[in-house]
Amino acid sequence: MLSIGIVGLPNVGKSTLFNALTKSKQADAQNYPFCTIEPNVGVVEVPDDRMQKLSDVSGSKKLIPTAIEFVDIAGLVKGASEGEGLGNKFLAHIREVDAIAHVVRAFSDSNVTHVHDKVDPKEDSDIINLELILADWQTVSKRLESVKGKSKGIGEKEHKVEREMLDRLFTHLEAGKPARVFDHNDDEALFIKQLCLITAKPMMYIINIDEEVTGDPITVEEGVVHVYISAHLEAELAELSDDEAKEYMQDLGLEKTGLDKIILAGYGLLNLLTYFTSGEMETRAWTITEGTEAPDAAGVIHTDFVKGFIKADVANCEKFVEYGGWNGVKEKGKMQLVGRDYIVKDGDVCYFHVGN
């Protein structure tokens, strides 16, 4: 399951956003730093309009959407990399997620205290990014010292590639640059993966704006995905029924909820896509990475399916609905019979033939 960690300075709206996304009250959203100590975890169904259409055609008894996990991590502060504000504990939580949603305050509300007594999205984002980079710099520094010790004498050739990469990465981080923009080859990528660096994780910015914003969108870092959301508005929508929320959004001229925006950005960051299985028992969504071949896609359902894979029936979900299910797409020639080298696409409806 995809997990996204929500990070940022205290009082930027992380817990309010978390509660809205998960439609819960489990995250304390009080007006003081460190109101979140242990991370709150919420599992949210990924909304997908295609599922109901597939279910209607197949006469499915159940609908099972795929899900995403949000982790509300306590507010980091300047000096977190040195342990300030329980920083070591919070940084450990960030290492466990797949992607980072960095919430930055751009809303104006005199009732909500800002830890630095001013609203400055760029400065706030720089503080968090520096702490994350410093934490990674410490990790690389320790590993570099270890490799230097091992590479003396007989082990020099064995550790040469890793040591040279670590030297470059050390300098890169020392210059205040995140690991995700570090230039490296495939061999070096294996060493980087073992380091579990925070700034190597895919990241998006969530700019927490006022409900009514005019002017140019705020950009805090070029080349990084920005999602613009009013956490206060999302909290209001979460209190409404689905129909009421849709009507309210129409009145405001909004096409997507904050949840939709974040999930779309998260899928893009991690190169994820959705395929479906659909029949009388259930219609279900499955998440895989782009470029996944059919046996590995089947393995998401059950690991035994990878080895036992024989072939798969595949149809585009729109054609599946248009022609009334498996019989219809077969008759219209819109179904493919594919083998092990087929790359599963977003929106594919699959039926896997598996042997023992």
Side-chain angles (χ1 to χ4, degrees), residues 71-272:
V71 183
D72 177 33
I73 298 168
L76 295 168
V77 295
K78 190 173 183 178
S81 60
E82 301 293 337
E84 289 293 326
L86 302 177
N88 291 331
K89 191 173 187 179
F90 301 158
L91 290 168
H93 296 320
I94 303 174
R95 295 185 195 280
E96 297 173 0
V97 299
D98 297 309
I100 297 172
H102 183 167
V103 181
V104 177
R105 175 175 174 174
F107 66 88
S108 54
D109 187 339
S110 58
N111 295 317
V112 179
T113 304
H114 190 288
V115 289
H116 299 137
D117 296 321
K118 63 177 180 177
V119 177
D120 188 333
K122 182 67 171 68
E123 181 178 308
D124 290 356
S125 65
D126 286 345
I127 289 170
I128 297 296
N129 288 332
L130 179 59
E131 294 304 323
L132 300 182
I133 289 168
L134 286 172
D136 284 347
W137 179 80
Q138 292 173 0
T139 299
V140 171
S141 180
K142 290 176 183 177
R143 179 59 185 168
L144 184 56
E145 287 302 311
S146 174
V147 171
K148 282 180 178 178
K150 293 177 181 178
S151 64
K152 292 179 180 178
I154 194 169
E156 183 175 356
K157 186 176 180 181
E158 180 183 349
H159 294 282
K160 184 174 184 292
V161 173
E162 183 180 7
R163 178 175 174 174
E164 289 178 351
M165 182 277 296
L166 287 169
D167 276 327
R168 289 177 20 244
L169 181 55
F170 180 90
T171 302
H172 177 90
L173 293 168
E174 196 170 44
K177 300 175 184 176
R180 62 179 171 273
V181 296
F182 176 65
D183 189 21
H184 60 277
N185 59 37
D186 292 342
D187 291 337
E188 293 171 337
L190 296 174
F191 295 120
I192 294 174
K193 187 175 182 180
Q194 293 170 2
L195 292 168
C196 299
L197 300 177
I198 296 172
T199 64
K201 294 179 183 293
M203 188 188 77
M204 71 178 90
Y205 285 107
I206 298 179
I207 311 299
N208 189 5
I209 58 176
D210 290 310
E211 290 185 38
E212 296 182 5
V213 176
T214 57
D216 295 331
I218 297 166
T219 301
V220 295
E221 183 182 347
E222 295 293 337
V224 179
V225 173
H226 286 55
V227 180
Y228 300 91
I229 290 173
S230 166
H232 183 264
L233 175 59
E234 295 297 324
E236 291 181 343
L237 290 170
E239 297 289 337
L240 304 176
S241 68
D242 289 344
D243 289 339
E244 289 173 333
K246 286 179 181 177
E247 185 177 345
Y248 189 23
M249 286 176 63
Q250 287 176 352
D251 291 342
L252 295 172
L254 299 175
E255 296 181 359
K256 291 186 176 69
T257 65
L259 176 61
D260 290 336
K261 291 178 182 178
I262 292 171
I263 289 174
L264 187 64
Y267 269 49
L269 285 175
L270 295 166
N271 298 318
L272 301 177

